[in-house]
Amino acid sequence: MITAKLVFDVREALKEYSDDGELSDSYILYLYDIKRSKYLRQDINNSQRSIDISVVQSLCLELEEVNSNECNIDLGCETIIRTKRAIPTPLQLHTKSALTRVAPADRVSRPFNLINRDKAVYASGAPFPNAVYAFLHNDGRVYLKSEGSALKLLECINVSGVFENPLDLINYKNCCSCDDSTTSNTCFDIETTDYPIQPHYIDLIKNEIVMELAKLKVIKEDKTNDSVDE
């Protein structure tokens, strides 16, 4: 379901149809984001469940070669490849990484080996030296490590995962060669992209938001009436 429909359903339930600043569309979506993160975190932290594809988003990021000192980890190399931009904040999980795939941008190639940042120092001693290892660093960028030379030929990669705020992907493209002057290739388009949440959570989250906003509305009306009585 697209975000405009999610917002309309809340406004319909509250009989509040105008974006008057006190109940803005952005605030309603903010509430959706908070509650979505809560339920997804509960689901995904359950080690018996895999990550539902409907909540996964993807973006394309250009790469750059930098001095390995940039990552403050002894990787046994002079330079390392990383994304030029930080990725949107991944969903904070206890049991697994919220990133599900890092791969060449053509999306049909085999994905790289996703590892924890703390294990990156052991990549040099891995049994397959030409394998590519990817890890998310504290600076929010994805770093790539390999003993092979092919990695330096890559210009961009595709990163998939579950993110705290799905609307953050409005500011990213789904292909590295996209024309920045257009929004047709944005990773999230409010008008056309389905909000990444499983259908069975939509009504649950909507009802929670409606209840919270209805209570605030009553409190506001009571304060207004009290001031008039004075």
Side-chain angles (χ1 to χ4, degrees):
M1 184 181 294
I2 62 173
T3 56
K5 181 65 167 61
L6 296 178
V7 171
F8 176 80
D9 286 348
V10 170
R11 290 192 177 281
E12 175 72 19
L14 294 169
K15 306 303 178 185
E16 294 276 355
Y17 298 104
S18 63
D19 187 346
D20 58 4
E22 294 183 359
L23 181 57
S24 65
D25 290 354
S26 60
Y27 182 66
I28 294 174
L29 289 175
Y30 167 75
L31 294 177
Y32 267 107
D33 291 341
I34 292 176
K35 296 180 183 299
R36 168 188 177 271
S37 293
K38 177 185 71 174
Y39 286 114
L40 288 184
R41 194 173 293 111
Q42 291 174 355
D43 269 359
I44 300 174
N45 276 330
N46 182 336
S47 59
Q48 301 302 316
R49 297 184 181 182
S50 59
I51 297 179
D52 193 300
I53 189 63
S54 67
V55 302
V56 174
Q57 296 174 279
S58 298
L59 60 150
C60 196
L61 294 163
E62 294 182 343
L63 300 173
E64 63 181 0
E65 184 175 5
V66 298
N67 190 294
S68 60
N69 292 332
E70 292 281 344
C71 60
N72 297 316
I73 302 175
D74 184 7
L75 298 173
C77 56
E78 294 183 358
T79 62
I80 190 169
I81 305 297
R82 72 178 184 187
T83 57
K84 290 184 177 181
R85 298 178 62 188
I87 66 172
T89 303
L91 189 71
Q92 298 301 306
L93 302 173
H94 301 306
T95 60
K96 63 189 77 175
S97 171
L99 296 187
T100 59
R101 188 174 188 270
V102 177
D106 57 21
R107 300 191 186 186
V108 296
S109 299
R110 291 184 59 185
F112 303 136
N113 299 286
L114 266 172
I115 60 174
N116 185 284
R117 182 182 67 90
D118 296 333
K119 295 182 179 180
V121 294
Y122 304 110
S124 297
F128 303 101
N130 290 328
V132 178
Y133 296 88
F135 65 92
L136 179 63
H137 198 27
N138 293 339
D139 60 5
R141 300 170 190 251
V142 175
Y143 285 72
L144 304 175
K145 177 73 170 64
S146 176
E147 297 297 309
S149 59
L151 179 59
K152 294 185 178 181
L153 300 178
L154 282 179
E155 295 183 355
C156 55
I157 58 173
N158 183 266
V159 177
S160 299
V162 186
F163 302 99
E164 288 281 354
N165 184 351
L167 272 66
D168 281 347
L169 276 81
I170 290 174
N171 301 314
Y172 293 82
K173 297 290 186 178
N174 57 27
C175 65
C176 292
S177 60
C178 296
D179 182 358
D180 288 337
S181 65
T182 69
T183 59
S184 59
N185 292 299
T186 183
C187 292
F188 195 98
D189 185 336
I190 291 181
E191 300 297 329
T192 61
T193 306
D194 283 335
Y195 189 79
I197 188 67
Q198 299 98 315
H200 60 273
Y201 279 129
I202 292 178
D203 282 342
L204 177 62
I205 292 176
K206 182 198 75 173
N207 291 337
E208 284 189 12
I209 293 174
V210 169
M211 288 179 63
E212 290 180 15
L213 294 178
K215 289 179 181 178
L216 291 176
K217 184 178 180 181
V218 170
I219 293 173
K220 178 184 175 183
E221 290 176 349
D222 287 344
K223 287 184 177 180
T224 301
N225 291 334
D226 290 342
S227 63
V228 171
D229 293 339
E230 292 175 1

